Amino acid sequence: MDHKADRPPTDRPPTDPTPPAGPPLAGPPTPGPSPDHPHAPDKRALAAAAVTVVLWASAFVSIRAAAPYYAPGALALGRLLTASLALAVVVVVTRVPFPPRQAWPGILTSGLLWFGLYMVALNWGEQGVDAGTAAMVVNIGPIVIALLSGWLLREGFPPMLLVGMGVSFAGAAVVGLSTSDGGSSSLGGVLLCLLAALAYGAGVVSQKPALAHATPIQVTTYGCFVGTAVTLPFAWQLLTQLPHAPLTATLNMVYLGLFPTALAFTTWTYALSRTTAGKMGATTYAVPAVVILIAWMALDEVPAALTLLGGAICLAGVAISRRRPAPRPPAG
C-alpha cells in the first residue's frame, strides 16, 4: 500500500517548536502503575511508605525520651522548627519553585491540622492518659482517613480495605490493652487524643488534592512551614525550657524534626501521590508493630505475648488492606 498520502507536503512551513503559553506545571506527572497492569503495586511507593512507617514508629521512642523535659507545645515547635530549617535548605539548594496557587488550600489545611494541631494535641493528650489508651484512641485516625477519602475524594470504600482496617484496629486495641499500665485516664486527655486523630485524618485527606498541583517536597515543606507558624505561640516556653533540658532530650527533639518529620513526611507525600489516601492510612497500622520491635531492640523492653499478638494482627490487617482486587475476566 502506498503511504505517500500520509506524508506531510514538503512546502508546508516548519512547525513552531515553542509551546503555547499557559500556566507552568508544578512538576512532571507522577508515574503510576503500568497501563498493562493497572493493579500492580508501585515498588517505589511501597518503599517510601516503609521508610515512613519505620521513622514514625521511632518517633514514639524519642517523644518518650524528650517529653519529661519539654512541654507539649514546646516539643512540637522545636520539632517543627528543626524540620523547617532542614527542608528550607533542601528547597533552596535544589531550587524547588513556590507551590502553585491551586495547591495552597490543601497545603494550608494540612499544615494547620496535621503539622500544627495534631502534634500539640497528641503530646498534650498523652499526658492525661496512659500509653495504651492513647494508642487506641489515636488509631481511629486511619479510619477517619478511609471515610473522608471515600466520601470527599470519591475513592470509594473497597471491601478489602475496610476489612483490613477493621482487623488492624483490633490489633491496635490489643496492643493498647497489653501496654496499658492500669492508670486513670482523664476525659480531657481522651478528648485531646481524639482531636489529634481527627486532625490527622483530615490533614492527610487535604494533602491529596494538593498533590495534583504540587510535588511531594512542595506539599511537605510548605505544610511544615505553616505548622511551625501555628506553634510559634509556644516559642517563649521552648526558649525557657531549652537551657534546662539535658542534651539527650534536645537531641531527641532534633531527631524528631530531621527524620520522623522532614524525611518521613516527604516519603509519606511521595507515596500518597502514587496511591489512594485510604490505602496510605491503612499502612500506618503497621506503626504499632514496628514500635514494639524498636522498643525491644533499642530500650530492651521485652514485649508480652499479648503485645506480640496485637502487633501481628496489625500487620495482618495491613496485608489484607493492600491486597489487589482479582482481575475481571474479559467480557464476551
Side-chain angles (χ1 to χ4, degrees):
M1 182 183 294
D2 187 4
H3 296 283
K4 291 182 179 180
D6 299 331
R7 300 173 186 170
T10 55
D11 58 347
R12 180 178 296 175
T15 304
D16 184 3
T18 305
L25 295 175
T30 304
S34 167
D36 298 329
H37 303 281
H39 299 298
D42 189 320
K43 293 182 179 179
R44 286 180 290 184
L46 289 176
V51 170
T52 299
V53 166
V54 172
L55 291 178
W56 282 356
S58 71
F60 286 91
V61 178
S62 292
I63 290 173
R64 191 187 308 174
Y69 307 98
Y70 288 102
L75 180 58
L77 175 58
R79 175 179 179 175
L80 288 169
L81 273 175
T82 304
S84 292
L85 290 173
L87 290 168
V89 171
V90 172
V91 298
V92 169
V93 171
T94 59
R95 298 181 179 181
V96 175
F98 195 73
R101 176 176 52 84
Q102 300 92 327
W104 272 102
I107 290 175
L108 288 172
T109 304
S110 64
L112 172 65
L113 295 179
W114 195 6
F115 287 89
L117 181 59
Y118 165 79
M119 291 192 183
V120 176
L122 180 62
N123 293 344
W124 195 1
E126 287 186 340
Q127 292 187 347
V129 299
D130 62 86
T133 302
M136 285 187 286
V137 176
V138 172
N139 273 301
I140 296 173
I143 298 176
V144 174
I145 294 173
L147 295 176
L148 290 179
S149 61
W151 174 41
L152 298 176
L153 303 181
R154 302 186 184 279
E155 293 181 356
F157 303 95
M160 297 307 296
L161 174 63
L162 297 179
V163 171
M165 295 188 81
V167 172
S168 290
F169 183 77
V174 171
V175 172
L177 289 172
S178 66
T179 56
S180 177
D181 57 9
S184 61
S185 296
S186 68
L187 177 60
V190 172
L191 291 178
L192 283 167
C193 289
L194 180 60
L195 177 62
L198 295 174
Y200 159 55
V204 169
V205 173
S206 67
Q207 279 188 331
K208 188 65 175 176
L211 288 168
H213 305 284
T215 60
I217 187 66
Q218 288 174 317
V219 173
T220 301
T221 299
Y222 289 91
C224 190
F225 290 168
V226 172
T228 304
V230 169
T231 55
L232 279 177
F234 301 102
W236 179 250
Q237 191 178 59
L238 176 63
L239 290 174
T240 56
Q241 293 177 350
L242 186 62
H244 304 288
L247 179 61
T248 53
T250 303
L251 290 177
N252 273 288
M253 183 172 64
V254 171
Y255 171 82
L256 287 169
L258 293 178
F259 295 99
T261 307
L263 177 57
F265 274 72
T266 302
T267 53
W268 164 272
T269 50
Y270 174 83
L272 180 62
S273 69
R274 304 168 77 94
T275 187
T276 64
K279 283 189 175 182
M280 281 303 295
T283 302
T284 61
Y285 273 124
V287 170
V290 181
V291 170
I292 294 169
L293 295 177
I294 292 177
W296 194 351
M297 293 185 295
L299 304 178
D300 200 26
E301 295 180 357
V302 180
L306 188 60
T307 306
L308 290 174
L309 175 62
I313 295 174
C314 286
L315 294 177
V318 172
I320 293 172
S321 68
R322 303 290 301 191
R323 285 189 62 183
R324 303 191 302 273
R328 295 180 178 179

